[in-house]
Amino acid sequence: AQSVTQLDSQVPVFEEAPVELRCNYSSSVSVYLFWYVQYPNQGLQLLLKYLSGSTLVKGINGFEAEFNKSQTSFHLRKPSVHISDTAEYFCAVSEADSNYQLIWGAGTKLIIKP
Amino acid sequence: NAGVTQTPKFQVLKTGQSMTLQCAQDMNHNSMYWYRQDPGMGLRLIYYSASEGTTDKGEVPNGYNVSRLNKREFSLRLESAAPSQTSVYFCASSEFGSTPLHFGNGTRLTVT
């Protein structure tokens, strides 16, 4: 993947509302796709991944993402957010022939409003 | 199960000083990585080690050196620190290159 774009640097949303965090990538070859979450003052942890198969993948904490090859997108969604979802979310992509090195988006801060 | 352990958690250096960041993983992973995280720039790969005995440059290797001491440990050395190296440094490991990364909690480094 030559680049990964997370279109929003911050997304404010009310508690219990749905949320979508957007991720687009540029690549002409097969890719693996990941979403990671970083809680304040912690390292990153895997939220979900797409390697192959069904384009709708489910992760931890009620999050899911859909791989759209034609749109080169991998948007993250949750139907109802909780205050504990406050964190920064990173999209990452690796190309199957690139020694699997990850290309990272700049991150999206999810801000939950009470 | 500790996962990936980084030391120290915080460090302040003066320009020109040297230091080594330590990283150890207890998951028997083959691959290990060093990233730096700067606001608005996501994570940038400094160096990685695909397997014990090998190391390779990442996106931003200048000013850094690494050592894969054994399968568990992967250290990052700043020989002559510069203010541009002020950042949060993360070590990560994975079973193989295509598998998900496990991160440490980071080292916050300030160079004055």
Side-chain angles (χ1 to χ4, degrees), chain A:
Chain A
Q2 297 181 4
S3 66
V4 176
T5 302
Q6 291 183 243
L7 296 166
D8 304 296
S9 60
Q10 293 189 57
V11 173
V13 61
F14 285 105
E15 196 169 13
E16 298 184 7
V19 69
E20 178 180 82
L21 306 183
R22 296 178 291 171
C23 174
N24 288 87
Y25 66 92
S26 64
S27 177
S28 58
V29 300
S30 296
V31 295
Y32 302 136
L33 301 155
F34 305 85
W35 275 99
Y36 285 81
V37 59
Q38 184 180 30
Y39 299 106
N41 299 314
Q42 294 186 26
L44 285 74
Q45 61 185 83
L46 182 68
L47 203 54
L48 49 79
K49 63 183 184 289
Y50 170 81
L51 302 181
S52 64
S54 172
T55 58
L56 183 63
V57 293
K58 295 187 183 299
I60 61 172
N61 301 338
F63 283 91
E64 64 180 32
E66 186 157 20
F67 170 47
N68 187 319
K69 188 174 181 179
S70 63
Q71 301 286 329
T72 59
S73 68
F74 191 54
H75 299 334
L76 180 70
R77 303 184 183 99
K78 186 171 183 177
S80 176
V81 296
H82 188 266
I83 195 74
S84 60
D85 293 322
T86 298
E88 191 159 17
Y89 294 79
F90 292 90
C91 180
V93 178
S94 69
E95 293 179 328
D97 62 353
S98 70
N99 204 25
Y100 306 111
Q101 293 311 308
L102 288 172
I103 305 298
W104 294 84
T108 298
K109 291 184 179 178
L110 180 59
I111 300 167
I112 310 299
K113 299 185 287 185

